[in-house]
């Protein structure tokens, strides 16, 4: 028996909450069945007649709930039992349907991570946005952000994560991972994401982010490497890059400041995915140990952020 047949259905439709409205919108715009088809190619179920397997659609929805609310495996299990909006989004009835426990949720997430399926989810969502003419691949904005890792040494080795690295920001020491992203100029949709320790400079990841279909690239001042830009100019690309002071005590000229404001007005689109993930969904720190697990989580977050920001435009289009 699904949640639609319970006595709470009419009440929540009469007085919908913000959580209910958000989940109802995301349920309409996310291509669930394309994602389920891709996951089922890898997922193998044991045919136990006494305990039928949990559907992939239910598990991928629970995984999205975890990312939207930044909650753990035990936490999302408790929220499913507690939240009516969650039950309606999952289309389940806790009185009769089988609810996956935290171990099942953890194994499903491990399945996605081990097979790099989050990259496939990003491709599926971007393909949907591309079919709706919401991605422009000819104009590219490149940027990076740093994400704080745990300083904890409470493990067998009594050491911090060896895949992360120390760095300083505003004269304060941090322990970071860095995410490098490529977004389009039109709507700020993340098309490519790469992840490195914090000691890798932004300019070293430039060629890995580009898809070689661009006509115009907008850089930050950290990418002001003349040798690298000259090597890429043979494709007749147009490069827009913010000016940087030659020396600490030498201020920028007025023309350079005006140019930086004009470029920054365009480059602000690259900050929107970071704002959604860090500001709305509270993913300001890394949850796991190692680059791979955190990279796959961030890739799925970028995919969900893409479709979240374009949700209203998708609802107004015919393509679903």
């Amino acid at each position: 028996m699904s949640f639609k047949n319970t006595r709470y259905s009419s009440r929540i439709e009469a007085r919908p909450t913000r959580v209910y409205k958000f989940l109802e919108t995301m349920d309409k715009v996310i291509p669930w069945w394309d994602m389920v088809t891709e996951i089922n190619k890898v997922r193998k179920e044991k045919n136990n007649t006494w305990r039928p397997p949990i559907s992939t659609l239910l598990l991928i929805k629970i995984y999205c709930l975890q990312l939207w609310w930044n909650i753990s495996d035990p936490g999302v299990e408790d929220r499913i039992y507690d939240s009516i909006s969650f039950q309606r989004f999952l289309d389940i009835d806790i009185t009769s349907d089988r609810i996956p426990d935290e171990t099942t949720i953890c194994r499903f997430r491990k399945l996605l991570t081990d097979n790099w399926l989050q990259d496939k989810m990003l491709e599926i969502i971007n393909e949907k946005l591309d079919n709706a003419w919401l991605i422009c691949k000819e104009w590219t904005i490149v940027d990076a952000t740093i994400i704080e890792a745990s300083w904890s040494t409470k493990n067998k080795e009594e050491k911090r994560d060896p895949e992360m690295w120390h760095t300083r920001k505003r004269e304060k020491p941090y322990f970071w991972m860095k995410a490098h992203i490529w977004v389009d100029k039109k709507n700020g949709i993340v098309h490519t994401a790469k992840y490195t320790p914090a000691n890798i400079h932004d300019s070293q990841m430039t060629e890995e982010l580009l898809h070689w279909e661009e006509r115009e690239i907008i850089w930050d001042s950290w990418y002001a490497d003349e040798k690298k830009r000259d090597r890429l100019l043979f494709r007749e690309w147009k490069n827009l890059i913010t000016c940087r002071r030659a020396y600490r005590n030498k201020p920028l000229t007025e023309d350079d400041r005006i140019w930086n404001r004009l470029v920054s007005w365009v480059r602000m689109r690259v900050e929107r995915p970071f704002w959604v993930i860090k500001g709305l969904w509270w993913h300001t720190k890394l949850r796991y140990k190692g680059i791979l697990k955190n990279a796959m989580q961030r890739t799925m977050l970028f995919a969900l952020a893409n479709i979240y920001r374009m949700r209203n435009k998708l609802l107004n289009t015919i393509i679903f």
Side-chain angles (χ1 to χ4, degrees), residues 15 27 30 59 67 130 133 170 227-228 253 257:
R15 175 59 177 86
D27 193 19
I30 294 179
L59 291 173
L67 296 178
D130 194 15
W133 298 91
R170 299 185 183 94
K227 294 182 180 179
K228 184 177 292 294
T253 63
R257 292 179 180 178

Side-chain angles (χ1 to χ4, degrees), residues 26-27 30-40 43 45 53-65 88-92 100 108 112:
M26 298 302 289
D27 193 19
I30 294 179
W32 296 113
W33 292 110
D34 293 339
M35 299 165 71
V36 168
T37 303
E38 194 67 34
I39 295 172
N40 284 337
R43 190 182 180 205
E45 294 291 348
I54 298 176
S55 68
T56 306
L57 178 61
L58 178 61
L59 291 173
I60 189 62
K61 284 188 173 183
I62 293 176
Y63 181 54
C64 291
L65 289 175
R88 186 174 179 84
F89 173 71
L90 299 174
D91 195 14
I92 58 176
F108 178 74
L112 299 180

Side-chain angles (χ1 to χ4, degrees), residues 6-55:
T6 62
R7 59 191 180 93
Y8 298 103
S9 180
S10 59
R11 289 194 175 185
I12 198 170
E13 288 180 354
R15 175 59 177 86
T17 61
R18 286 181 294 178
V19 174
Y20 169 76
K21 292 178 181 178
F22 167 75
L23 294 177
E24 185 181 33
T25 302
M26 298 302 289
D27 193 19
K28 292 180 181 178
V29 297
I30 294 179
W32 296 113
W33 292 110
D34 293 339
M35 299 165 71
V36 168
T37 303
E38 194 67 34
I39 295 172
N40 284 337
K41 294 178 182 178
V42 179
R43 190 182 180 205
K44 297 179 181 179
E45 294 291 348
K46 295 181 180 179
N47 297 323
N48 295 326
T49 56
W50 58 275
R51 192 177 185 186
I54 298 176
S55 68

Side-chain angles (χ1 to χ4, degrees), residues 100-112:
D101 57 3
E102 57 180 282
T103 304
T104 305
I105 298 171
C106 179
R107 288 176 178 174
F108 178 74
R109 186 181 64 253
K110 187 176 185 300
L111 172 73
L112 299 180

Side-chain angles (χ1 to χ4, degrees), residues 198-223:
N199 62 326
I200 302 299
H201 196 269
D202 299 357
S203 60
Q204 298 182 25
M205 300 298 296
T206 302
E207 298 182 9
E208 295 188 23
L209 290 173
L210 303 179
H211 59 82
W212 310 104
E213 298 179 11
E214 298 90 345
R215 291 191 305 174
E216 177 180 318
I217 306 175
I218 304 174
W219 315 84
D220 195 1
S221 59
W222 290 102
Y223 297 91

